[in-house]
Amino acid sequence: MSDRDPFEEIERAFDTLSEQFGVDLDTVPTDILDEGDAFVVHADLPGYDSEDIDVQLVEERKLTISADHSESTEATDGRYVQHERRRQSASRTVTLPEAVDEDGTSAAYEDGVLTVRLPKVSVEGDDGTDIPVN
């Protein structure tokens, strides 16, 4: 019989996977779409509720998504008592290619996917500045 801890073996396998294939299991998978006038970020966050998710925009270009969920259950059956706890968290920061307008941002969470819409900063008349010649 082996004295190996099976959970330690699983942890070691995940570490090897992360090192060899660049898979970070604590990060949030994201897609960033450029729709011309806005960036749309889709982030996979299955198993969370909308109140577990925090979205922040820093310096008009850095979007940080973090999620933290914990729950506790307790069951009693005769002289046996069971108390289980579960906690999961994930986060991701992405740098957008252009500045966005923080006033027009919006976020929605549905079916485990967070969608954040970030309108680009409007630069009207960006044809340069006319300099009169005397």
Side-chain angles (χ1 to χ4, degrees), residues 23-29 48 89-92:
V23 177
D24 187 355
L25 300 173
D26 293 331
T27 191
V28 177
Y48 293 96
S89 63
S91 66
R92 178 77 184 263

Side-chain angles (χ1 to χ4, degrees), residues 70-75 81-87:
S70 61
E71 60 184 48
S72 177
T73 60
E74 187 171 324
V81 175
Q82 176 182 337
H83 187 88
E84 294 184 4
R85 293 160 303 285
R86 182 176 82 110
R87 180 168 185 193

Side-chain angles (χ1 to χ4, degrees), residues 7 9 11 15 23 33 38 42 56 63 65 85 106 108 134:
F7 296 108
E9 293 294 319
E11 187 70 31
D15 289 343
V23 177
L33 305 169
H42 298 286
Q56 293 185 348
L63 180 69
I65 300 167
R85 293 160 303 285
S106 63
N134 292 334

Side-chain angles (χ1 to χ4, degrees), residues 8-20:
E8 188 176 306
E9 293 294 319
I10 293 170
E11 187 70 31
R12 190 178 355 240
F14 281 130
D15 289 343
T16 301
L17 177 70
S18 178
E19 290 170 10
Q20 290 183 352

Side-chain angles (χ1 to χ4, degrees), residues 44-100:
D44 295 341
L45 291 165
Y48 293 96
D49 295 324
S50 59
E51 58 269 2
D52 298 334
I53 301 170
D54 182 42
V55 181
Q56 293 185 348
L57 180 65
V58 179
E59 299 173 1
E60 297 181 335
R61 290 193 57 196
K62 285 189 178 181
L63 180 69
T64 299
I65 300 167
S66 57
D68 190 25
H69 180 77
S70 61
E71 60 184 48
S72 177
T73 60
E74 187 171 324
T76 305
D77 183 22
R79 59 187 185 136
Y80 292 97
V81 175
Q82 176 182 337
H83 187 88
E84 294 184 4
R85 293 160 303 285
R86 182 176 82 110
R87 180 168 185 193
Q88 67 186 69
S89 63
S91 66
R92 178 77 184 263
T93 299
V94 294
T95 301
L96 302 167
E98 297 176 40
V100 296

